[in-house]
Amino acid sequence: MGTAYDVDAKLQELSAQDWSSAGDVKYHLGTSNVKIYPDLGSVTLTLEANPSHLETVGPVALGRVRAKQYYLGDAPETKKRVMPVILHGDASFAGQGVVYEAMQLAKVEDFDVGGTIHVIVNNQVGFTTDPKSSRSTLYCSDLGKAFNIPILHCNGDDPVAVVRAFEMAAEYRQEWGDDVIIDVVCYRRFGHNESDNPEFTQPLLYNDIKSHRRTEEIMAAKLIEDGHASPAELEQIKSKVWDVFEKDYQNAGSYKPSPATEWVATKWEGVRSPNQLAQSKPTGLDLELLRKIGDKLCEVPEGFKLHSALKRILKAKKDRIVAGEGMDWGTAEALAFGSLLLEGNHVRITGQDVQRGTFSHRHCIVHDQATADKHNFLNSLQLGPQETFVAQNSILSEYAVLGYELGYSYENPNALVIWEAQFGDFANTAQVMFDQFISAGEHKWMQQSALTMLLPHGYDGQGAEHSSCRLERFLQMSDDDEDDVPDYAEAGSGKQIQKANWQVMNLTTPANYFHAIRQQLHREFRKPLVIAAPKALLRHKDCTSSFEDMGPDSEFQRVIPERDPEIANNPDQVEKLIFCTGKIYYELLAERRRLGLTNVAIVTVEMIAPFPFDKVRDEMQKYSKVDRGDGVHPGSITWCQEEPKNMGAWAYVRPRMVCVARESLDLDLVVRYVGRRASAAVATGVGKIHTLEQEAVVSDALTGTVSWQERSRASSLLGHQT
C-alpha cells in the first residue's frame, strides 16, 4: 500500500499525551494510498482496518464501497468505478455465517455494490483443522452456489492461471455487476501464520509440502520448458528483485515515516482528534423553518391514495404542527432529519422495518393503496437545495447490516448514518461489531464515526427477547473512569464527550432526541451514539415536545432536572431525590401525581455515558435537605430502574454517583437502589408478574423505606440494598 507504521513514535505518543490511539498490530491496520499505473492512470487503493475476528470486516468494506459509489453520483456507472475485493480463508469462508449475510445483500436496493470479488486463499487447513472437519461441502467455495455466481478454481502454483482468474473475475464483475469467487488452491509452507508447527496435526500433508517445489521453481521450470525464458534471464530477474529488497532493507534504518494519520483509510479534513480543540454549533432551529418542514411531513402528491389510518395520523400531525406543540417522537425525528438534509447532510437509516418503524411510528415512506407507488416525505421538502434521504428496510440480519452501515459512515463525516434494530435485544447478534469496531475503532485505528444506533428498549411485559437492549453491555464498554471526575468546565463544554469512545443515551423527550441526533453532525468531531430507543413513549400522552423545545435557544440536555416548577422551586421541601433514565420516569411521574407527593424530586439522566458528573453534582447540591445516609447504609438519594439489578445502568452509575459525592461534596454516599432483583433472564414473559414487579419498583422508589433491622428490600420482587 506504500505506507509505514512507526511503533517507536506510537510509544512516545502514548507517554506524552493523556489521550491517544492505543494502536494495533500492523496486520490489522487500514490505510489508503493512490497508485499510478501507466495504462490505467491513478487508482486509489483503500485497505480496511480489521480485527482478527475472521470475516467481520467484509460487510464493513462493502458499506464503505457503497458510500463511495453514492458520493460519486449514485448512478449505475459509478458502481464500476469502485470495486470491492474481499480476501477470505478457506475455513472462515465456509464456516462464518456473516459471509452469507454479507453476500445476501448483493442485490438488495441501497446495498447493491455492483458485484464483489471474493478471493479465497485456500490453504487447505483452518489453523490446525482439516477441511473434512471445517465444512460439509466438497469445496470451501460452495456457498457461492446458493447465489448462482461464478466460482473460479485455480492452482496457486500456476501464477499465470491465477492472473487469468483475476482478470476474468474483474471483467465479469464490470460487465454483469455480479459477485465472483476465486478459489486459489495453495498451502502454507510453515503452518498457521507461517510460524506454527503444522506437523503436530497434519504430519502427512506437511511431509508432502516439505518435498514440494516452491511456486517460483515450478514457474521457472515451466517457462524454460516452453521456451519463454532462459535460466540466465530468470536469474537476472531474481537478482534485480533481491537488489530492490536489499536496498530497501538498508534504507529502513534512516526511513522517516509519514504521520500516523496515513493509517486512517479516509482523511476527514477539519474533523478534530480527541487531543485537538473542537467547537460545536447550536442544534436549535428557527421556528418558522420547523413549521415549514413540519408542513411538508404532512403532504402527499395529488391523487395519492393514502391508507385511511395514515390519513388520520397525518391529520393529527398537521394539527400539532399548526399548534407548535404536542410533537411526538416520530415527528421530532423527521424534523431533525429534514433540517440536516437542508443543511447539506446526507441522511441514511436502515434496519429490518425502518420505513414504517417496528412500532408503526415513523411512516417516512408511504405506499399508494391502489398502485403501491411510494412517497418519500423527506425527499420532497421543496424548501431549497437538500441532500438525499435514504430509508431502506434491510435483510433480516443484524451482524452484516450493522457492519455495512459502519463502513458507510466511515466515508463522509457529513452524513448521519443510522442503524435501527427491530428490537434492541436483537443487537446481541451483532456483538462482534460493537466490541471490535464501534466501541474501539477510534482507539485502535484512529477511525472516527458518527454511526447512530437505535435500539428499542423498555419493559412492557413482552418477555426476555423484547424488553432490553442490554444497556449494561454498552456501558461496560464505555471508557470513562468511574473514579476520574473530569474538570467540570470541560464536561460542560463537550470535551468530555470528545475524549470518550462513544455515547450511550436513554432519552425521555422528543426534543432531546431531536437535539441528540442533530448534534451528531454539529460538532468538529464524530462519535458513535447508542440510543436505547423508546417503545411505549412513542405515543405516550406526556411524552411530547413543542417547537420552542427545538427552537433557537434550545439544546441537548445531558440531565433533565425536576420538571414540576412547584417542586423544583422549593428544594428545601424535597425529602427524596430519585435519579432514573428512560421510560420509568413517566411511571414514577404518574404515581407521584396520583399520590399528590410534592416532596420527591425526579431527575432523568439522559446521556448515561460519558457520565454527566457536573450535572449530577448540581442536583445533589440543590436538594441539600435530602437524607444522605450514614456512609454505611443509604439515605434517600435513589437510583431507580426497571431492569434487573445485574443489568441496566446501575453497575455503571453507582460508582460514578459515589465519586461525585466524594470528590465534589465531601460525602461518603451509599446510593439507594430500587429496581428488579438480579436475574438470569432479562425479563419475565408473564404479564401479571411484570405488572407486580413494575408496581413494586415505582411504589418503593416514591414511598418506600428500608428498616435495616427487619429486611434489606421492600419486596422479594426487588433487588437487595447495599
Side-chain angles (χ1 to χ4, degrees), residues 403-418:
Y404 191 102
E405 298 311 317
L406 177 66
Y408 200 102
S409 75
Y410 281 164
E411 187 60 22
N412 182 3
N414 299 313
L416 179 66
V417 181
I418 300 174

Side-chain angles (χ1 to χ4, degrees), residues 98-117:
V98 71
V99 178
Y100 172 85
E101 292 184 29
M103 293 182 72
Q104 190 65 269
L105 294 169
K107 297 299 181 182
V108 177
E109 184 180 355
D110 288 314
F111 291 93
D112 182 358
V113 296
T116 300
I117 308 297

